[in-house]
Amino acid sequence: MTQIIDGKKISKEIKDELKEKVSALAAEGIEKCLAVIQVGADPASSVYVNNKKKACEYIGIRSLAYELPAETTEEELLELIRELNGRADVDGMIVQLPLPAQINEERVLLAIDPAKDVDGFHPMSVGNLSIGRPGFVSCTPAGIIQLLKRSGIEISGKECVVIGRSNIVGKPMGMLLLRENGTVTICHSRTKDLRQVCKRADILVVAIGKPLFIDETYVKEGAVVIDVGIHRDENNKLCGDVDFERVAPHCSAITPVPGGVGPMTIAMLMSNCVFGPQ
Ligand code: NAD
């Protein structure tokens, strides 16, 4: 029978563990604090930011919300980041992306102190991951490792294929699977014969950004399939990059959309804030 990996349940477990940890820290007089910066009022960003605030509240992390107007200049945002970098009471900060056109995203991410980079997007965090030093790890791929481990799925020695090479999902996913001793292949838009490469995978992570792209012809019988994609179909229903109905019967385990990878991202952001660089 195919195991449906329950990201909702696992993310709740993680948040409950964090809640306990935060209350133990509070008993020692230590408080954790996350600063969340949003520039402009993009509706999707507002939903994400709100969910992050709610998760902080649940766990007992103090959150500082900065809702800046859309016309904020790059210098004004950098000034706020510098101030937060210098504040001893702030453990982590995130700048919700995308940013308005007048602000250079790269300069902003570079300005965040790597010791507070809980999103794991700073080049220092990425570099630490690639050379095996402790550092903050991008939350979505970190969440996928937790999904696998907490579902009893062994990574060591497995053929792991990642589709997608983005800086926030595909590349860090490859590095993390490697850190867990998987044998890793990263595929992208120029990969020749994607289907054949995917068919090798014991663990297939799909972060391609195309609805229902992966069907059963890409999947080896008994593989584990992790679907990172989030889309709305023509009926406004959420779906992933994987055609769940067609693929699930061929897998040993699979994540659904919604309720798979999605809920893990915020749980890992909270974990980064509580535990610091790992
Ligand atoms: P992206 O668009 O930056 O990257 C997509 C990658 O897929 C690229 O590297 C590209 O080379 C590759 N690709 C595109 N077409 C391909 C093809 N035909 N064959 C092989 N490779 C191909 O996307 P991203 O930011 O990595 O996100 C991927 C998906 O995951 C999106 O649907 C996004 O919404 C979702 N996502 C979900 C979460 C979450 O929390 N669950 C977080 C981040 C992203």
Side-chain angles (χ1 to χ4, degrees), residues 9-57:
K9 178 166 156 262
I10 296 173
S11 67
K12 169 88 165 46
E13 261 166 40
I14 292 173
K15 285 193 272 185
D16 286 339
E17 289 164 18
L18 292 172
K19 195 173 179 167
E20 256 179 52
K21 174 76 184 169
V22 164
S23 85
L25 288 171
E28 297 169 35
I30 301 167
E31 186 186 49
K32 292 289 175 181
C33 173
L34 173 68
V36 181
I37 306 171
Q38 183 182 3
V39 186
D42 172 65
S45 292
S46 299
V47 172
Y48 289 131
V49 163
N50 216 18
N51 287 341
K52 288 168 190 174
K53 282 192 242 166
K54 276 200 275 190
C56 281
E57 221 170 279

mmCIF file of all heavy atoms in Angstrom, residues 9-57:
data_model
loop_
_atom_site.group_PDB
_atom_site.id
_atom_site.type_symbol
_atom_site.label_atom_id
_atom_site.label_comp_id
_atom_site.label_asym_id
_atom_site.label_seq_id
_atom_site.Cartn_x
_atom_site.Cartn_y
_atom_site.Cartn_z
ATOM 1 N N LYS A 9 0.460 16.687 9.611
ATOM 2 C CA LYS A 9 0.682 16.042 10.913
ATOM 3 C C LYS A 9 2.153 16.236 11.344
ATOM 4 O O LYS A 9 2.419 16.584 12.504
ATOM 5 C CB LYS A 9 0.341 14.550 10.777
ATOM 6 C CG LYS A 9 0.564 13.742 12.005
ATOM 7 C CD LYS A 9 -0.124 12.372 11.897
ATOM 8 C CE LYS A 9 0.545 11.364 12.799
ATOM 9 N NZ LYS A 9 1.516 10.512 12.087
ATOM 10 N N ILE A 10 3.073 16.022 10.418
ATOM 11 C CA ILE A 10 4.495 16.119 10.776
ATOM 12 C C ILE A 10 4.863 17.562 11.133
ATOM 13 O O ILE A 10 5.604 17.812 12.085
ATOM 14 C CB ILE A 10 5.383 15.544 9.644
ATOM 15 C CG1 ILE A 10 5.100 14.036 9.479
ATOM 16 C CG2 ILE A 10 6.868 15.792 9.911
ATOM 17 C CD1 ILE A 10 5.767 13.367 8.288
ATOM 18 N N SER A 11 4.303 18.528 10.398
ATOM 19 C CA SER A 11 4.624 19.928 10.717
ATOM 20 C C SER A 11 4.061 20.300 12.093
ATOM 21 O O SER A 11 4.671 21.064 12.841
ATOM 22 C CB SER A 11 4.109 20.874 9.633
ATOM 23 O OG SER A 11 2.709 20.887 9.622
ATOM 24 N N LYS A 12 2.906 19.724 12.431
ATOM 25 C CA LYS A 12 2.309 19.988 13.752
ATOM 26 C C LYS A 12 3.206 19.399 14.851
ATOM 27 O O LYS A 12 3.438 20.043 15.886
ATOM 28 C CB LYS A 12 0.886 19.398 13.769
ATOM 29 C CG LYS A 12 0.191 19.330 15.111
ATOM 30 C CD LYS A 12 -0.563 20.609 15.404
ATOM 31 C CE LYS A 12 -1.576 20.528 16.535
ATOM 32 N NZ LYS A 12 -1.178 19.893 17.758
ATOM 33 N N GLU A 13 3.703 18.185 14.600
ATOM 34 C CA GLU A 13 4.624 17.552 15.561
ATOM 35 C C GLU A 13 5.832 18.460 15.810
ATOM 36 O O GLU A 13 6.220 18.701 16.950
ATOM 37 C CB GLU A 13 5.207 16.264 14.929
ATOM 38 C CG GLU A 13 4.559 14.961 15.322
ATOM 39 C CD GLU A 13 5.012 13.841 14.373
ATOM 40 O OE1 GLU A 13 6.207 13.776 13.973
ATOM 41 O OE2 GLU A 13 4.135 13.041 14.018
ATOM 42 N N ILE A 14 6.400 18.976 14.705
ATOM 43 C CA ILE A 14 7.582 19.829 14.835
ATOM 44 C C ILE A 14 7.230 21.106 15.608
ATOM 45 O O ILE A 14 7.950 21.525 16.514
ATOM 46 C CB ILE A 14 8.166 20.162 13.436
ATOM 47 C CG1 ILE A 14 8.747 18.882 12.830
ATOM 48 C CG2 ILE A 14 9.203 21.278 13.497
ATOM 49 C CD1 ILE A 14 9.210 19.008 11.395
ATOM 50 N N LYS A 15 6.086 21.696 15.274
ATOM 51 C CA LYS A 15 5.699 22.937 15.964
ATOM 52 C C LYS A 15 5.455 22.682 17.454
ATOM 53 O O LYS A 15 5.799 23.518 18.294
ATOM 54 C CB LYS A 15 4.478 23.569 15.283
ATOM 55 C CG LYS A 15 4.863 24.250 13.967
ATOM 56 C CD LYS A 15 3.768 25.133 13.431
ATOM 57 C CE LYS A 15 2.825 24.360 12.579
ATOM 58 N NZ LYS A 15 1.810 25.144 11.918
ATOM 59 N N ASP A 16 4.894 21.515 17.771
ATOM 60 C CA ASP A 16 4.669 21.191 19.183
ATOM 61 C C ASP A 16 5.993 20.975 19.926
ATOM 62 O O ASP A 16 6.145 21.398 21.080
ATOM 63 C CB ASP A 16 3.745 19.978 19.322
ATOM 64 C CG ASP A 16 2.291 20.346 19.000
ATOM 65 O OD1 ASP A 16 1.953 21.548 19.068
ATOM 66 O OD2 ASP A 16 1.498 19.444 18.671
ATOM 67 N N GLU A 17 6.954 20.350 19.253
ATOM 68 C CA GLU A 17 8.283 20.186 19.868
ATOM 69 C C GLU A 17 8.929 21.559 20.104
ATOM 70 O O GLU A 17 9.538 21.807 21.143
ATOM 71 C CB GLU A 17 9.197 19.352 18.952
ATOM 72 C CG GLU A 17 8.818 17.879 18.879
ATOM 73 C CD GLU A 17 9.460 17.151 17.691
ATOM 74 O OE1 GLU A 17 10.444 17.663 17.125
ATOM 75 O OE2 GLU A 17 8.961 16.068 17.335
ATOM 76 N N LEU A 18 8.754 22.443 19.116
ATOM 77 C CA LEU A 18 9.341 23.788 19.241
ATOM 78 C C LEU A 18 8.679 24.567 20.384
ATOM 79 O O LEU A 18 9.347 25.286 21.127
ATOM 80 C CB LEU A 18 9.194 24.560 17.928
ATOM 81 C CG LEU A 18 10.015 24.027 16.752
ATOM 82 C CD1 LEU A 18 9.627 24.748 15.455
ATOM 83 C CD2 LEU A 18 11.521 24.209 17.009
ATOM 84 N N LYS A 19 7.373 24.375 20.510
ATOM 85 C CA LYS A 19 6.619 25.047 21.576
ATOM 86 C C LYS A 19 7.194 24.651 22.944
ATOM 87 O O LYS A 19 7.401 25.502 23.812
ATOM 88 C CB LYS A 19 5.157 24.609 21.460
ATOM 89 C CG LYS A 19 4.177 25.429 22.208
ATOM 90 C CD LYS A 19 2.769 24.969 21.837
ATOM 91 C CE LYS A 19 1.768 25.784 22.624
ATOM 92 N NZ LYS A 19 0.418 25.623 22.129
ATOM 93 N N GLU A 20 7.452 23.350 23.085
ATOM 94 C CA GLU A 20 8.034 22.861 24.342
ATOM 95 C C GLU A 20 9.410 23.459 24.589
ATOM 96 O O GLU A 20 9.733 23.888 25.688
ATOM 97 C CB GLU A 20 8.181 21.334 24.285
ATOM 98 C CG GLU A 20 7.126 20.624 25.102
ATOM 99 C CD GLU A 20 7.263 19.120 25.014
ATOM 100 O OE1 GLU A 20 8.364 18.588 25.255
ATOM 101 O OE2 GLU A 20 6.253 18.491 24.666
ATOM 102 N N LYS A 21 10.219 23.479 23.529
ATOM 103 C CA LYS A 21 11.576 24.011 23.630
ATOM 104 C C LYS A 21 11.538 25.504 24.021
ATOM 105 O O LYS A 21 12.285 25.962 24.881
ATOM 106 C CB LYS A 21 12.285 23.818 22.276
ATOM 107 C CG LYS A 21 13.652 24.427 22.159
ATOM 108 C CD LYS A 21 14.683 23.611 22.890
ATOM 109 C CE LYS A 21 16.041 24.283 22.838
ATOM 110 N NZ LYS A 21 17.000 23.673 23.748
ATOM 111 N N VAL A 22 10.617 26.229 23.378
ATOM 112 C CA VAL A 22 10.509 27.673 23.637
ATOM 113 C C VAL A 22 10.054 27.919 25.076
ATOM 114 O O VAL A 22 10.559 28.831 25.741
ATOM 115 C CB VAL A 22 9.549 28.338 22.613
ATOM 116 C CG1 VAL A 22 9.103 29.716 23.062
ATOM 117 C CG2 VAL A 22 10.237 28.434 21.260
ATOM 118 N N SER A 23 9.178 27.074 25.575
ATOM 119 C CA SER A 23 8.732 27.318 26.961
ATOM 120 C C SER A 23 9.845 26.931 27.938
ATOM 121 O O SER A 23 9.997 27.573 28.982
ATOM 122 C CB SER A 23 7.367 26.684 27.243
ATOM 123 O OG SER A 23 7.506 25.359 27.604
ATOM 124 N N ALA A 24 10.666 25.917 27.592
ATOM 125 C CA ALA A 24 11.823 25.588 28.449
ATOM 126 C C ALA A 24 12.826 26.750 28.445
ATOM 127 O O ALA A 24 13.377 27.113 29.495
ATOM 128 C CB ALA A 24 12.498 24.307 27.956
ATOM 129 N N LEU A 25 13.019 27.362 27.274
ATOM 130 C CA LEU A 25 13.934 28.511 27.199
ATOM 131 C C LEU A 25 13.379 29.687 28.003
ATOM 132 O O LEU A 25 14.122 30.383 28.698
ATOM 133 C CB LEU A 25 14.135 28.930 25.737
ATOM 134 C CG LEU A 25 14.974 27.990 24.868
ATOM 135 C CD1 LEU A 25 14.909 28.415 23.393
ATOM 136 C CD2 LEU A 25 16.428 27.956 25.331
ATOM 137 N N ALA A 26 12.058 29.873 27.908
ATOM 138 C CA ALA A 26 11.432 30.983 28.628
ATOM 139 C C ALA A 26 11.647 30.832 30.134
ATOM 140 O O ALA A 26 11.862 31.820 30.847
ATOM 141 C CB ALA A 26 9.943 31.047 28.303
ATOM 142 N N ALA A 27 11.634 29.565 30.605
ATOM 143 C CA ALA A 27 11.855 29.306 32.031
ATOM 144 C C ALA A 27 13.271 29.728 32.445
ATOM 145 O O ALA A 27 13.522 30.025 33.610
ATOM 146 C CB ALA A 27 11.621 27.829 32.337
ATOM 147 N N GLU A 28 14.195 29.751 31.479
ATOM 148 C CA GLU A 28 15.565 30.226 31.770
ATOM 149 C C GLU A 28 15.703 31.716 31.474
ATOM 150 O O GLU A 28 16.816 32.253 31.445
ATOM 151 C CB GLU A 28 16.584 29.478 30.888
ATOM 152 C CG GLU A 28 16.672 27.988 31.116
ATOM 153 C CD GLU A 28 17.504 27.314 30.011
ATOM 154 O OE1 GLU A 28 18.483 27.914 29.511
ATOM 155 O OE2 GLU A 28 17.149 26.179 29.644
ATOM 156 N N GLY A 29 14.592 32.351 31.126
ATOM 157 C CA GLY A 29 14.612 33.790 30.844
ATOM 158 C C GLY A 29 15.063 34.122 29.424
ATOM 159 O O GLY A 29 15.417 35.262 29.117
ATOM 160 N N ILE A 30 15.042 33.120 28.531
ATOM 161 C CA ILE A 30 15.450 33.375 27.141
ATOM 162 C C ILE A 30 14.211 33.460 26.262
ATOM 163 O O ILE A 30 13.355 32.566 26.291
ATOM 164 C CB ILE A 30 16.387 32.258 26.612
ATOM 165 C CG1 ILE A 30 17.635 32.174 27.482
ATOM 166 C CG2 ILE A 30 16.751 32.497 25.142
ATOM 167 C CD1 ILE A 30 18.465 30.918 27.258
ATOM 168 N N GLU A 31 14.141 34.553 25.465
ATOM 169 C CA GLU A 31 13.010 34.707 24.559
ATOM 170 C C GLU A 31 13.510 34.677 23.125
ATOM 171 O O GLU A 31 14.578 35.209 22.826
ATOM 172 C CB GLU A 31 12.319 36.052 24.824
ATOM 173 C CG GLU A 31 11.049 36.226 24.036
ATOM 174 C CD GLU A 31 10.450 37.630 24.197
ATOM 175 O OE1 GLU A 31 11.187 38.620 24.049
ATOM 176 O OE2 GLU A 31 9.246 37.710 24.456
ATOM 177 N N LYS A 32 12.766 34.021 22.225
ATOM 178 C CA LYS A 32 13.117 33.993 20.806
ATOM 179 C C LYS A 32 12.269 35.012 20.064
ATOM 180 O O LYS A 32 11.075 35.166 20.363
ATOM 181 C CB LYS A 32 12.887 32.596 20.220
ATOM 182 C CG LYS A 32 13.846 31.564 20.778
ATOM 183 C CD LYS A 32 15.254 31.794 20.243
ATOM 184 C CE LYS A 32 16.259 30.866 20.870
ATOM 185 N NZ LYS A 32 17.619 31.118 20.352
ATOM 186 N N CYS A 33 12.896 35.680 19.101
ATOM 187 C CA CYS A 33 12.185 36.756 18.407
ATOM 188 C C CYS A 33 12.517 36.750 16.916
ATOM 189 O O CYS A 33 13.675 36.676 16.520
ATOM 190 C CB CYS A 33 12.576 38.091 19.031
ATOM 191 S SG CYS A 33 11.942 39.520 18.145
ATOM 192 N N LEU A 34 11.454 36.797 16.100
ATOM 193 C CA LEU A 34 11.602 36.808 14.638
ATOM 194 C C LEU A 34 11.041 38.120 14.079
ATOM 195 O O LEU A 34 9.908 38.495 14.399
ATOM 196 C CB LEU A 34 10.825 35.625 14.039
ATOM 197 C CG LEU A 34 10.735 35.559 12.512
ATOM 198 C CD1 LEU A 34 12.107 35.272 11.894
ATOM 199 C CD2 LEU A 34 9.730 34.493 12.069
ATOM 200 N N ALA A 35 11.832 38.800 13.250
ATOM 201 C CA ALA A 35 11.345 40.004 12.580
ATOM 202 C C ALA A 35 10.908 39.634 11.162
ATOM 203 O O ALA A 35 11.651 38.974 10.441
ATOM 204 C CB ALA A 35 12.437 41.070 12.543
ATOM 205 N N VAL A 36 9.702 40.045 10.810
ATOM 206 C CA VAL A 36 9.145 39.728 9.487
ATOM 207 C C VAL A 36 8.895 41.042 8.752
ATOM 208 O O VAL A 36 8.112 41.872 9.212
ATOM 209 C CB VAL A 36 7.816 38.943 9.629
ATOM 210 C CG1 VAL A 36 7.243 38.601 8.264
ATOM 211 C CG2 VAL A 36 8.009 37.675 10.462
ATOM 212 N N ILE A 37 9.597 41.215 7.632
ATOM 213 C CA ILE A 37 9.475 42.481 6.898
ATOM 214 C C ILE A 37 8.731 42.232 5.587
ATOM 215 O O ILE A 37 9.094 41.342 4.816
ATOM 216 C CB ILE A 37 10.868 43.068 6.566
ATOM 217 C CG1 ILE A 37 11.712 43.195 7.837
ATOM 218 C CG2 ILE A 37 10.738 44.414 5.852
ATOM 219 C CD1 ILE A 37 13.173 43.570 7.567
ATOM 220 N N GLN A 38 7.708 43.031 5.359
ATOM 221 C CA GLN A 38 6.989 42.958 4.083
ATOM 222 C C GLN A 38 6.977 44.357 3.469
ATOM 223 O O GLN A 38 6.699 45.341 4.158
ATOM 224 C CB GLN A 38 5.551 42.467 4.314
ATOM 225 C CG GLN A 38 4.768 42.297 3.028
ATOM 226 C CD GLN A 38 3.323 41.849 3.255
ATOM 227 O OE1 GLN A 38 2.869 41.708 4.382
ATOM 228 N NE2 GLN A 38 2.596 41.651 2.172
ATOM 229 N N VAL A 39 7.291 44.446 2.189
ATOM 230 C CA VAL A 39 7.235 45.742 1.506
ATOM 231 C C VAL A 39 6.111 45.681 0.483
ATOM 232 O O VAL A 39 6.128 44.848 -0.414
ATOM 233 C CB VAL A 39 8.576 46.063 0.799
ATOM 234 C CG1 VAL A 39 8.535 47.482 0.230
ATOM 235 C CG2 VAL A 39 9.755 45.899 1.748
ATOM 236 N N GLY A 40 5.127 46.567 0.642
ATOM 237 C CA GLY A 40 3.957 46.532 -0.242
ATOM 238 C C GLY A 40 2.953 45.522 0.284
ATOM 239 O O GLY A 40 3.212 44.837 1.281
ATOM 240 N N ALA A 41 1.826 45.423 -0.430
ATOM 241 C CA ALA A 41 0.735 44.601 0.112
ATOM 242 C C ALA A 41 0.303 43.532 -0.882
ATOM 243 O O ALA A 41 -0.894 43.283 -1.061
ATOM 244 C CB ALA A 41 -0.433 45.497 0.504
ATOM 245 N N ASP A 42 1.271 42.893 -1.543
ATOM 246 C CA ASP A 42 0.947 41.779 -2.437
ATOM 247 C C ASP A 42 0.088 40.757 -1.674
ATOM 248 O O ASP A 42 0.488 40.305 -0.592
ATOM 249 C CB ASP A 42 2.264 41.146 -2.920
ATOM 250 C CG ASP A 42 2.034 39.869 -3.695
ATOM 251 O OD1 ASP A 42 1.433 39.960 -4.762
ATOM 252 O OD2 ASP A 42 2.450 38.791 -3.219
ATOM 253 N N PRO A 43 -1.108 40.419 -2.190
ATOM 254 C CA PRO A 43 -2.030 39.575 -1.399
ATOM 255 C C PRO A 43 -1.433 38.216 -1.038
ATOM 256 O O PRO A 43 -1.605 37.749 0.098
ATOM 257 C CB PRO A 43 -3.255 39.415 -2.303
ATOM 258 C CG PRO A 43 -3.075 40.338 -3.447
ATOM 259 C CD PRO A 43 -1.679 40.839 -3.472
ATOM 260 N N ALA A 44 -0.717 37.571 -1.982
ATOM 261 C CA ALA A 44 -0.137 36.251 -1.668
ATOM 262 C C ALA A 44 0.898 36.398 -0.553
ATOM 263 O O ALA A 44 0.942 35.599 0.393
ATOM 264 C CB ALA A 44 0.501 35.648 -2.910
ATOM 265 N N SER A 45 1.725 37.465 -0.639
ATOM 266 C CA SER A 45 2.738 37.699 0.398
ATOM 267 C C SER A 45 2.076 37.930 1.749
ATOM 268 O O SER A 45 2.565 37.457 2.777
ATOM 269 C CB SER A 45 3.594 38.927 0.055
ATOM 270 O OG SER A 45 4.378 38.666 -1.065
ATOM 271 N N SER A 46 0.955 38.671 1.740
ATOM 272 C CA SER A 46 0.269 38.963 3.007
ATOM 273 C C SER A 46 -0.200 37.672 3.664
ATOM 274 O O SER A 46 -0.125 37.523 4.888
ATOM 275 C CB SER A 46 -0.925 39.888 2.790
ATOM 276 O OG SER A 46 -0.468 41.103 2.254
ATOM 277 N N VAL A 47 -0.675 36.711 2.844
ATOM 278 C CA VAL A 47 -1.118 35.429 3.397
ATOM 279 C C VAL A 47 0.076 34.710 4.041
ATOM 280 O O VAL A 47 0.001 34.237 5.187
ATOM 281 C CB VAL A 47 -1.748 34.535 2.284
ATOM 282 C CG1 VAL A 47 -2.027 33.132 2.816
ATOM 283 C CG2 VAL A 47 -3.034 35.170 1.763
ATOM 284 N N TYR A 48 1.202 34.655 3.320
ATOM 285 C CA TYR A 48 2.399 33.986 3.863
ATOM 286 C C TYR A 48 2.852 34.641 5.167
ATOM 287 O O TYR A 48 3.145 33.977 6.155
ATOM 288 C CB TYR A 48 3.562 34.023 2.863
ATOM 289 C CG TYR A 48 3.363 33.131 1.653
ATOM 290 C CD1 TYR A 48 3.560 33.622 0.376
ATOM 291 C CD2 TYR A 48 2.991 31.804 1.804
ATOM 292 C CE1 TYR A 48 3.383 32.804 -0.740
ATOM 293 C CE2 TYR A 48 2.813 30.983 0.695
ATOM 294 C CZ TYR A 48 3.011 31.486 -0.575
ATOM 295 O OH TYR A 48 2.830 30.677 -1.664
ATOM 296 N N VAL A 49 2.924 35.985 5.144
ATOM 297 C CA VAL A 49 3.399 36.723 6.314
ATOM 298 C C VAL A 49 2.474 36.457 7.511
ATOM 299 O O VAL A 49 2.925 36.215 8.631
ATOM 300 C CB VAL A 49 3.486 38.240 5.982
ATOM 301 C CG1 VAL A 49 3.574 39.086 7.237
ATOM 302 C CG2 VAL A 49 4.675 38.506 5.065
ATOM 303 N N ASN A 50 1.182 36.452 7.222
ATOM 304 C CA ASN A 50 0.212 36.214 8.286
ATOM 305 C C ASN A 50 0.382 34.812 8.882
ATOM 306 O O ASN A 50 0.327 34.636 10.098
ATOM 307 C CB ASN A 50 -1.191 36.372 7.699
ATOM 308 C CG ASN A 50 -2.109 36.993 8.704
ATOM 309 O OD1 ASN A 50 -1.652 37.595 9.693
ATOM 310 N ND2 ASN A 50 -3.400 36.829 8.486
ATOM 311 N N ASN A 51 0.601 33.829 8.006
ATOM 312 C CA ASN A 51 0.802 32.455 8.486
ATOM 313 C C ASN A 51 2.060 32.355 9.348
ATOM 314 O O ASN A 51 2.102 31.605 10.320
ATOM 315 C CB ASN A 51 0.898 31.480 7.308
ATOM 316 C CG ASN A 51 -0.457 31.270 6.659
ATOM 317 O OD1 ASN A 51 -1.496 31.549 7.263
ATOM 318 N ND2 ASN A 51 -0.459 30.798 5.428
ATOM 319 N N LYS A 52 3.083 33.107 8.985
ATOM 320 C CA LYS A 52 4.324 33.094 9.774
ATOM 321 C C LYS A 52 4.074 33.703 11.150
ATOM 322 O O LYS A 52 4.525 33.180 12.168
ATOM 323 C CB LYS A 52 5.437 33.846 9.023
ATOM 324 C CG LYS A 52 5.944 33.050 7.825
ATOM 325 C CD LYS A 52 6.822 33.838 6.875
ATOM 326 C CE LYS A 52 7.035 32.992 5.610
ATOM 327 N NZ LYS A 52 7.748 33.698 4.545
ATOM 328 N N LYS A 53 3.309 34.785 11.165
ATOM 329 C CA LYS A 53 2.999 35.420 12.462
ATOM 330 C C LYS A 53 2.195 34.471 13.339
ATOM 331 O O LYS A 53 2.427 34.345 14.535
ATOM 332 C CB LYS A 53 2.203 36.720 12.227
ATOM 333 C CG LYS A 53 3.082 37.877 11.782
ATOM 334 C CD LYS A 53 2.304 39.177 11.847
ATOM 335 C CE LYS A 53 2.172 39.802 10.489
ATOM 336 N NZ LYS A 53 1.212 40.856 10.342
ATOM 337 N N LYS A 54 1.227 33.778 12.702
ATOM 338 C CA LYS A 54 0.383 32.846 13.472
ATOM 339 C C LYS A 54 1.217 31.695 14.039
ATOM 340 O O LYS A 54 1.021 31.277 15.183
ATOM 341 C CB LYS A 54 -0.740 32.288 12.587
ATOM 342 C CG LYS A 54 -1.941 33.215 12.521
ATOM 343 C CD LYS A 54 -3.207 32.486 12.087
ATOM 344 C CE LYS A 54 -3.259 32.425 10.585
ATOM 345 N NZ LYS A 54 -4.426 31.987 9.919
ATOM 346 N N ALA A 55 2.162 31.193 13.244
ATOM 347 C CA ALA A 55 3.026 30.093 13.711
ATOM 348 C C ALA A 55 3.877 30.569 14.890
ATOM 349 O O ALA A 55 4.042 29.846 15.879
ATOM 350 C CB ALA A 55 3.901 29.588 12.567
ATOM 351 N N CYS A 56 4.381 31.795 14.815
ATOM 352 C CA CYS A 56 5.167 32.353 15.923
ATOM 353 C C CYS A 56 4.324 32.381 17.194
ATOM 354 O O CYS A 56 4.769 31.982 18.279
ATOM 355 C CB CYS A 56 5.599 33.790 15.608
ATOM 356 S SG CYS A 56 7.002 33.898 14.511
ATOM 357 N N GLU A 57 3.112 32.853 17.040
ATOM 358 C CA GLU A 57 2.204 32.970 18.182
ATOM 359 C C GLU A 57 1.964 31.598 18.815
ATOM 360 O O GLU A 57 2.021 31.438 20.027
ATOM 361 C CB GLU A 57 0.870 33.516 17.673
ATOM 362 C CG GLU A 57 0.224 34.539 18.574
ATOM 363 C CD GLU A 57 -0.934 35.170 17.829
ATOM 364 O OE1 GLU A 57 -0.682 36.090 17.001
ATOM 365 O OE2 GLU A 57 -2.066 34.709 18.019
#
